[in-house]
Amino acid sequence: MSAKVDSPVAAATSASAEPLETRQLDEWRWLIPRQGAMRVEGLVFADRALMDDIRVGEALRQVANVACLPGIVGRSLAMPDVHWGYGFAIGGVAAFDPALGGVVSPGGVGYDINCGVRLLRSDLAADELRPHLGRLMDELMRDLPAGVGSHSDRFVLPDGELREVLDRGAAWMVEHGYGEPEDLKHIEGGGALPGADPDGVSARAVERGHDQLGTVGSGNHFVEVGCVDRVFDPVAAGVLGLAEGSVTVLVHSGSRGLGYQVCDDFLHLMLPAAERYGIELPDRQLACAPLGSPEADRYLGAMLAAANFAFANRQMMAHRVRAAFARVLGRTWKELGLTLVYDVAHNVAKWEEHEVEGRTRRLCVHRKGATRAFPPGHPEVPAAYREVGQPVLIPGDMGRYSYVLVGTEGAYRETFGSTCHGAGRRMSRHVASRAAAGRNLRDEMRALGVEVRAASHATLAEEVPEAYKDVAEVVEVVDRAGIGRKVARLRPLGVLKG
Amino acid sequence: MDEIVPGVRVVEHTADEGIEVEGATLATLFRRAAAGTLALFRTGVPGEDPGAHPAEVIEVELRAADLTSLLVQWLREVLFVAGTRELEPGEVEIEQVGDGVLRARLHCRRVGPGAFREVKGVTYHGLEVRRDGGWHARVIFDV
């Protein structure tokens, strides 16, 4: 997940300054009718207040730009946390049909490939953890390298094994003792997406990322120890193992430098490719190639390999979290019941089957800052959760709360099985840093009951809670619109930032 | 906004970070763009003692379809050398720039990890290289 806010630079350099026509469909839906070169309509999920925010910058124009790409089917979609991104808006979903000349675009996935979230639950009560929290956070800070250029001194991938990690993702970690087979059942795609091509990942990408497995990184990435603060759906919460007052852990990171480089490499390759295939780009960051072309195949292979690297990264991080809990609490992680609820990708493009105009088609679904949210009964939903739907993990800012939802039939019908992914920034990093200047954020957070550890004060300042929208407003929209269903709210107790 | 290095201003009031660069010649523009990018992302974490390692010279040769792509490639190269290889380019010699080719030499000193912030990529967003008397460029980074 990458968070950007609407940018005056974007406004100044937009391909078109014409205001976009929008039409309110109901309390939660806004249509962008076909206009200009749009091949399909755009659809934004938002209430009036969020829509007022969304209108300010370039996000709507970006949703419309995506609707201009060849082979797009259904609608170009925007979740309520949509905000300006590079090319594609963050919070956007778009599906492309190869039979209609559909494309794949690195900008539709973003730089942080498979940036995502993993949730662990436990049988430990928050009150029981409280006296040990400071020590636990210190141990996490030591064991999970965070911050700029963070790399792991403690874990060196054996020679030649990286391509195995790129191919098998979290499964490689489990086979090497970092977790257990049961974990893999609770990861999107089993923690290893098919079609990965380790050879498509450049030497430079490998050099940037090879020593970053098990690291947090910087920006909005974090590890958050929290507890279940409120349960909205007791049945679903019971199925997911979330009891009110019990301790949880959220891990938010991605493919680190390796994924950034894959995106950068292929953006560069796709620009001339788009020209060669005669694709007109409303924005160069939308560079793309037709599905089935050698360029598209190479990108998909490398991107999926980076996605697997990210699953492996979060698997390693969760393993270290479990080890730290066990040391501090003096009980094994199994005794603590510290099991994996789910792990979802927020930035990825995948082949999926969806019904469009009465026909099931194989589509390349791009989610950039959006979460897959498959309904109850879908075969991709883990067996243990099949009755309630796929868990969806929505982190908020570090001071307030995060949400656990489940996927719905509504999402499957209307958004290619997708929903929101987070709060979305309301302040730029610069503005946030200025707002935080001269404040002792650690003390402020402690007063809110949150123990913070951060590798750098600069990152902490950029991530000050008021820099984000209230994630509750975003979640309310997807719940009311029926593209996600609220299960529980989590409250932070301790946060580790880059 | 003041210059961070001669001929380079930070693009302010944006979500992300960028630079605007001026130079009398294309070579000056590219040299300053590299210096400005490094200044923008330097963390202030002290590097290693410059005397501890001999200086390293890196030869760069890039090709691209147009000047804007060439600038993006150039800055990607500079950031890779600084951020991943942990070699900070001090003196930058531009030997040739134009007609889709850039040849340069980077005289680098070794720095420690964390000397530069992590930059996800050099974007094509709002990218500009134009001639208006002298040369002007604008580049936005995803951080």
Side-chain angles (χ1 to χ4, degrees):
Chain A
M1 178 173 83
S2 171
K4 301 288 178 291
V5 295
D6 297 298
S7 156
V9 169
T13 56
S14 165
S16 166
E18 288 290 302
L20 270 174
E21 185 197 336
T22 56
R23 199 165 72 229
Q24 187 167 10
L25 295 181
D26 61 22
E27 216 175 329
W28 320 108
R29 287 171 182 79
W30 305 72
L31 190 78
I32 309 174
R34 278 181 64 181
Q35 48 207 293
M38 289 171 72
R39 294 166 194 258
V40 296
E41 296 166 331
L43 182 66
V44 184
F45 290 83
D47 61 16
R48 185 168 287 277
L50 285 169
M51 192 63 184
D52 286 346
D53 266 2
I54 293 167
R55 275 185 203 287
V56 171
E58 281 295 286
L60 291 182
R61 169 65 56 193
Q62 293 187 322
V63 175
N65 283 347
V66 170
C68 302
L69 294 176
I72 184 167
V73 295
R75 287 161 164 168
S76 172
L77 300 161
M79 300 298 128
D81 49 338
V82 69
H83 49 285
W84 178 83
Y86 291 102
F88 284 65
I90 296 160
V93 177
F96 296 87
D97 187 342
L100 300 174
V103 294
V104 65
S105 171
V109 173
Y111 282 97
D112 199 353
I113 295 165
N114 190 6
C115 184
V117 185
R118 165 178 289 230
L119 174 66
L120 303 172
R121 50 79 66 198
S122 76
D123 295 323
L124 188 67
D127 292 341
E128 224 179 318
L129 175 66
R130 185 73 67 181
H132 309 282
L133 186 62
R135 207 184 127 216
L136 175 68
M137 294 313 296
D138 291 339
E139 298 261 327
L140 291 175
M141 177 87 187
R142 195 195 60 199
D143 291 353
L144 291 151
V148 171
S150 52
H151 64 104
S152 179
D153 298 328
R154 294 156 42 90
F155 174 75
V156 179
L157 203 56
D159 273 351
E161 288 294 302
L162 181 64
R163 53 172 302 123
E164 294 297 314
V165 173
L166 295 171
D167 193 36
R168 302 220 307 286
W172 186 94
M173 286 288 163
V174 168
E175 284 160 27
H176 289 76
Y178 304 98
E180 58 169 47
E182 197 65 21
D183 293 342
L184 301 177
K185 295 181 186 166
H186 289 182
I187 305 176
E188 181 173 341
L193 301 178
D197 174 18
D199 294 330
V201 175
S202 69
R204 205 161 259 213
V206 169
E207 193 175 339
R208 270 179 88 170
H210 74 281
D211 61 353
Q212 294 183 325
L213 281 171
T215 65
V216 182
S218 59
N220 57 4
H221 296 164
F222 63 78
V223 175
E224 181 179 296
V225 177
C227 68
V228 180
D229 174 46
R230 207 172 147 191
V231 168
F232 303 100
D233 180 337
V235 173
V239 170
L240 303 188
L242 299 171
E244 208 160 314
S246 63
V247 169
T248 55
V249 183
L250 275 174
V251 170
H252 178 210
S253 189
S255 49
R256 312 280 289 105
L258 184 137
Y260 306 160
Q261 188 69 34
V262 167
C263 177
D264 218 7
D265 287 343
F266 281 90
L267 264 176
H268 200 70
L269 185 101
M270 291 284 188
L271 270 172
E275 202 178 315
R276 221 169 20 252
Y277 293 108
I279 299 170
E280 272 187 47
L281 298 174
D283 176 341
R284 294 176 86 187
Q285 286 283 136
L286 294 176
C288 56
L291 290 160
S293 68
E295 293 87 350
D297 285 349
R298 279 180 61 197
Y299 170 67
L300 279 168
M303 183 272 295
L304 292 167
N308 290 344
F309 184 84
F311 284 129
N313 185 31
R314 291 196 291 274
Q315 182 68 30
M316 168 72 87
M317 291 169 79
H319 172 77
R320 290 185 176 162
V321 166
R322 284 168 166 169
F325 266 83
R327 271 198 311 278
V328 171
L329 277 303
R331 277 180 272 169
T332 67
W333 68 262
K334 286 190 180 173
E335 284 166 347
L336 293 166
L338 206 52
T339 55
L340 177 55
V341 177
Y342 206 59
D343 179 316
V344 284
H346 284 168
N347 288 350
V348 80
K350 285 160 74 183
W351 288 108
E352 290 173 2
E353 287 193 346
H354 291 277
E355 198 179 296
V356 182
E357 290 159 8
R359 199 159 54 82
T360 300
R361 307 194 209 177
R362 187 165 174 265
L363 305 173
C364 185
V365 181
H366 293 57
R367 297 189 181 91
K368 181 182 185 184
T371 318
R372 196 187 71 173
F374 279 178
H378 193 286
E380 289 260 342
V381 178
Y385 306 147
R386 203 151 293 160
E387 279 177 32
V388 294
Q390 178 216 306
V392 173
L393 313 170
I394 314 293
D397 63 76
M398 64 180 171
R400 281 181 277 199
Y401 29 64
S402 299
Y403 282 82
V404 180
L405 285 73
V406 282
T408 60
E409 271 303 329
Y412 204 55
R413 275 197 312 270
E414 213 177 351
T415 57
F416 302 103
S418 314
T419 196
C420 64
H421 87 306
R425 290 188 83 93
R426 50 181 280 267
M427 275 182 197
S428 75
R429 292 173 197 278
H430 285 297
V431 173
S433 298
R434 277 199 290 272
R439 286 160 54 183
N440 187 331
L441 295 174
R442 270 166 233 236
D443 284 356
E444 277 183 35
M445 295 291 291
R446 192 167 287 145
L448 292 172
V450 186
E451 197 65 36
V452 174
R453 299 289 182 277
S456 97
H457 180 76
T459 303
L460 201 56
E462 288 174 2
E463 295 290 308
V464 65
E466 66 260 36
Y468 286 88
K469 293 177 196 165
D470 185 349
V471 71
E473 293 171 18
V474 170
V475 165
E476 206 54 36
V477 170
V478 299
D479 185 87
R480 298 286 187 90
I483 57 166
R485 196 158 57 82
K486 284 193 293 186
V487 174
R489 192 173 77 182
L490 314 175
R491 181 165 52 88
L493 301 171
V495 179
L496 168 64
K497 297 287 298 184
Chain B
M1 190 73 195
D2 293 335
E3 292 184 338
I4 45 168
V5 295
V8 182
R9 287 183 167 79
V10 175
V11 179
E12 249 282 40
H13 59 65
T14 68
D16 287 285
E17 290 173 84
I19 50 171
E20 281 175 351
V21 192
E22 291 177 2
T25 65
L26 207 47
T28 307
L29 186 85
F30 272 63
R31 191 166 43 75
R32 286 179 166 178
T37 300
L38 292 168
L40 184 62
F41 295 115
R42 202 172 277 127
T43 57
V45 171
E48 291 180 14
D49 172 10
H53 299 278
E56 288 185 45
V57 179
I58 296 175
E59 308 264 353
V60 177
E61 184 167 340
L62 302 168
R63 283 169 203 280
D66 52 46
L67 268 180
T68 52
S69 298
L70 199 59
L71 182 63
V72 167
Q73 284 221 56
W74 167 236
L75 297 182
R76 289 174 67 195
E77 193 71 24
V78 168
L79 283 170
F80 179 76
V81 167
T84 303
R85 294 259 161 92
E86 295 171 2
L87 290 168
E88 177 170 8
E91 193 193 335
V92 174
E93 291 174 63
I94 307 281
E95 293 169 351
Q96 182 194 339
V97 57
D99 297 328
V101 181
L102 179 135
R103 286 194 301 117
R105 287 159 72 90
L106 306 173
H107 297 262
C108 302
R109 70 177 187 106
R110 188 154 288 283
V111 288
F116 291 90
R117 280 155 58 200
E118 227 163 30
V119 181
K120 289 179 185 166
V122 184
T123 76
Y124 287 88
H125 179 83
L127 178 67
E128 222 176 65
V129 178
R130 66 189 161 84
R131 190 171 194 172
D132 177 10
W135 286 91
H136 303 264
R138 178 172 55 196
V139 190
I140 311 284
F141 304 93
D142 189 356
V143 291

